[in-house]
Amino acid sequence: MKAEEIALIQSKHNAAIIAPAGHGKTEMITELVDKLPGIKLVLTHTNAGVDALTKRFNKKNVNGKKYYLSTISSFCMKWTGAYPSTAGIRPGIKVTDKDFYSEVHTGTAQIFTHSWARDIIKKTYSCVIVDEYQDCVLAQHQIFVELNKTVPVYVLGDPLQAIFGFKESLVSWKNICFDVLEDEIDTFPWRWEKTNPALGQYLNDVRKELLPGLEKKEVRLSTIPNQTSVFRINPADIHGSVIYDIIKKYDSVIYIAKWETDTKAFAKSSGGIFQHDEKQNLEALYDFAKLFDIDDVVTRGKALFDFISECASGVPSELGSYESHIISGDYDFHRIKKHPEFGNRMTRFRETNSYDSMLRIMEWVKACKDLRLHRRELFSEMQRSIRRARDNQDTILKAALEIRMIPGNQSKYSNFKHLSSRTLLSKGLEFDCVIIDLSKVNTGWGNSNRYSVTEMYVAMTRAMKAIYFITDQESVLLSAPQGI
């Protein structure tokens, strides 16, 4: 950032900085933290966001004494944990409860209506900096409105990347009540400078075409290839050699579809080359955990086989001979010649009905070269859940909820080079190539398969080198975003 831009921001008691995808927002935050005086409170939405900022701060040698970095929710949990009565938090509410975070956010805003609480912030921090502000729900926004009564608040984001409005209404940048800076701050498509400048320019042009969608206006996006960064795949070729040719061409590839059923089907059809991108609230983990908690060896054995089939490709051809036996509770496998070790471990499970015997079966599946896991995260999380349940002498469901919902217990699954995902889950990720599946989107306005302008912009800007549209249409109609 230029010195005059930093001075402009510092002169304001609040500012909302609009930065398009790939235009150096993380770098802006880094420079503000480094060059503004005092200790800055820096907040973002996800642990991945915290990691990204931490890495950038370290890379730029920003002194750790200049800032305190946290997710918004963790920050709120500390305050509501310290002052639960003031926040109006219900006694006994748990982090795994459905309304927990909503209650914590609302409670934190309530705490900061009190001047004594804001004074603590003022004595501790010189200002507040919030990343990805377009994803703030109204309760979160109210927290920063209250804080701004005492300290400067600077927020950064992009309304064209607001894709979570289906959950709760998001903050509106039209009446955000902060001083919106867009033309005052220079931005540049740094993300594509070294990988594909032509793609960066194309996405800048597309952004201008998509912006009217924020005003609820109809937007039609061309899918015509441009030979430098945008290409097209015929839907009939999606399961042919075209996809594998793309994999060979790029180091990392993400397939994006509108619905989870499509991303699961694509991952499975790839034979484990593409991993299915799991959401944080992993229902399949909980559903199977409930079945595993039924203390009946026949029910549990059938559920275990179904779970393996859900996570791995090749089960019908490799383990199909075992299925009818397991379903009926008949564990006499002596006539089955294929994969005898699987049969041995299933027999041991039938004898012991133990957590350890379940884990031994799963370890064999993971190591078997003839089976290809396409839901590796789900599979690994179930292994972790069973181990935790065994060690804590608890139910598998309780263990599964704890490892997914409590931040300190969570594992990271961010190193997949080939991912099958949805826009909601891919936000913040970068891949050499993005394949966007438009094969189920027709030209009619009312199609529920339609992407919104914000979903499309986020999906397209995940690409570093190339975008492939799966469609036989010359253009696609986009809907207005929800909740903004």
Side-chain angles (χ1 to χ4, degrees):
M1 296 181 72
K2 299 175 183 176
E4 53 267 32
E5 291 174 333
I6 295 175
L8 172 65
I9 293 169
Q10 188 177 355
S11 71
K12 297 180 177 295
H13 192 59
N14 60 60
I17 303 166
I18 295 180
H23 280 59
K25 177 168 57 63
T26 303
E27 190 71 15
M28 291 182 197
I29 294 173
T30 303
E31 294 196 42
L32 290 173
V33 168
D34 193 35
K35 296 179 180 179
L36 292 179
I39 301 172
K40 279 70 62 174
L41 172 61
V42 185
L43 300 174
T44 187
H45 288 271
T46 65
N47 291 321
V50 169
D51 289 342
L53 286 168
T54 299
K55 289 177 182 177
R56 188 62 61 90
F57 292 165
N58 292 339
K59 182 179 179 180
K60 295 293 183 177
N61 296 316
V62 178
N63 191 322
K65 295 181 180 180
K66 291 185 176 183
Y67 65 89
Y68 174 77
L69 174 62
S70 171
T71 64
I72 296 173
S73 292
S74 294
F75 170 78
C76 292
M77 287 166 66
K78 289 183 179 179
W79 277 88
T80 56
Y83 307 103
S85 297
T86 306
I89 299 297
R90 288 174 293 158
I93 190 170
K94 300 177 181 178
V95 69
T96 53
D97 291 343
K98 182 179 179 181
D99 298 329
F100 175 81
Y101 288 104
S102 177
E103 191 163 319
V104 163
H105 295 149
T106 301
T108 303
Q110 178 61 32
I111 290 173
F112 289 127
T113 62
H114 298 275
S115 59
W116 61 264
R118 298 196 304 270
D119 284 344
I120 294 174
I121 294 292
K122 185 176 183 179
K123 291 176 182 178
T124 309
Y125 305 109
S126 59
C127 67
V128 179
I129 300 173
V130 189
D131 190 18
E132 302 286 5
Y133 205 73
Q134 76 281 343
D135 293 330
C136 279
V137 299
L138 296 181
Q140 292 172 325
H141 173 58
Q142 192 58 39
I143 294 169
F144 303 112
V145 170
E146 296 298 336
L147 288 176
N148 195 218
K149 294 176 181 178
T150 307
V151 295
V153 173
Y154 308 125
V155 305
L156 298 90
D158 178 12
L160 203 54
Q161 295 184 69
I163 57 175
F164 295 102
F166 65 94
K167 293 183 177 179
E168 296 181 58
S169 293
L170 300 175
V171 61
S172 170
W173 287 66
K174 290 182 181 179
N175 50 14
I176 198 172
C177 72
F178 297 153
D179 191 359
V180 179
L181 306 180
E182 185 172 17
D183 298 332
E184 295 89 339
I185 306 295
D186 288 335
T187 61
F188 181 82
W190 297 106
R191 179 177 295 171
W192 303 277
E193 184 183 25
K194 294 182 179 179
T195 58
N196 188 351
L199 177 58
Q201 183 57 55
Y202 165 78
L203 290 170
N204 270 354
D205 295 339
V206 165
R207 179 183 176 83
K208 296 173 185 176
E209 297 176 18
L210 299 183
L211 282 173
L214 297 179
E215 306 295 329
K216 310 298 182 182
K217 295 179 180 178
E218 180 178 309
V219 174
R220 184 173 290 279
L221 176 69
S222 170
T223 63
I224 298 175
N226 63 17
Q227 302 306 313
T228 60
S229 50
V230 180
F231 309 92
R232 199 157 61 195
I233 303 171
N234 191 291
D237 298 328
I238 187 172
H239 298 303
S241 62
V242 174
I243 298 296
Y244 297 98
D245 290 340
I246 292 173
I247 292 171
K248 294 176 183 177
K249 189 174 182 179
Y250 301 100
D251 289 336
S252 59
V253 181
I254 184 170
Y255 163 89
I256 296 178
K258 178 74 174 178
W259 303 113
E260 185 179 30
T261 52
D262 296 319
T263 61
K264 286 194 292 187
F266 183 83
K268 188 169 187 175
S269 69
S270 77
I273 295 175
F274 283 83
Q275 288 296 313
H276 182 249
D277 196 4
E278 308 289 358
K279 54 189 176 183
Q280 184 60 36
N281 183 22
L282 187 47
E283 287 101 339
L285 178 67
Y286 310 143
D287 291 342
F288 277 105
K290 291 176 185 176
L291 294 173
F292 290 171
D293 282 332
I294 297 174
D295 192 17
D296 175 78
V297 71
V298 175
T299 301
R300 186 179 278 181
K302 182 181 181 302
L304 182 57
F305 190 88
D306 290 344
F307 178 76
I308 294 168
S309 299
E310 178 64 31
C311 295
S313 304
V315 172
S317 60
E318 299 301 320
L319 302 178
S321 300
Y322 291 93
E323 185 173 13
S324 60
H325 289 265
I326 294 170
I327 290 174
S328 65
D330 169 22
Y331 279 61
D332 181 3
F333 306 130
H334 76 277
R335 294 185 179 180
I336 302 175
K337 304 302 181 184
K338 203 167 191 179
H339 300 300
E341 181 59 24
F342 176 77
N344 293 338
R345 297 193 183 202
M346 286 300 300
T347 299
R348 180 61 177 164
F349 162 74
R350 178 69 176 85
E351 294 169 350
T352 63
N353 193 18
S354 67
Y355 287 160
D356 280 329
S357 62
M358 295 174 70
L359 289 169
R360 290 187 72 244
I361 292 167
M362 296 178 73
E363 288 164 2
W364 179 88
V365 169
K366 203 167 188 177
C368 179
K369 295 180 180 179
D370 295 319
L371 299 177
R372 299 165 296 279
L373 290 173
H374 60 272
R375 299 192 72 175
R376 190 172 292 274
E377 179 176 342
L378 171 59
F379 197 87
S380 297
E381 290 291 78
M382 183 59 80
Q383 289 180 298
R384 292 181 64 220
S385 300
I386 296 172
R387 291 191 194 102
R388 185 180 180 89
R390 177 198 61 192
D391 296 343
N392 295 344
Q393 296 185 332
D394 220 328
T395 66
I396 299 174
L397 176 60
K398 184 173 184 290
L401 287 167
E402 289 174 347
I403 67 169
R404 293 299 288 187
M405 302 304 293
I406 299 175
N409 297 333
Q410 293 169 359
S411 285
K412 298 177 183 177
Y413 299 89
S414 57
N415 60 343
F416 297 134
K417 292 295 185 182
H418 304 107
L419 197 63
S420 180
S421 185
R422 294 177 292 149
T423 303
L424 294 171
L425 301 178
S426 66
K427 193 169 184 293
L429 303 178
E430 295 178 3
F431 286 77
D432 283 351
C433 172
V434 171
I435 303 172
I436 304 175
D437 194 346
L438 303 176
S439 61
K440 295 184 179 179
V441 178
N442 62 32
T443 55
W445 176 252
N447 187 354
S448 62
N449 288 318
R450 189 159 324 288
Y451 290 79
S452 70
V453 292
T454 51
E455 287 175 321
M456 182 57 69
Y457 181 69
V458 169
M460 296 174 73
T461 52
R462 300 311 92 207
M464 300 286 288
K465 295 181 179 179
I467 297 170
Y468 287 75
F469 293 115
I470 300 177
T471 183
D472 55 6
Q473 303 291 324
E474 296 294 305
S475 64
V476 60
L477 199 59
L478 305 176
S479 65
Q482 293 179 283
I484 60 174

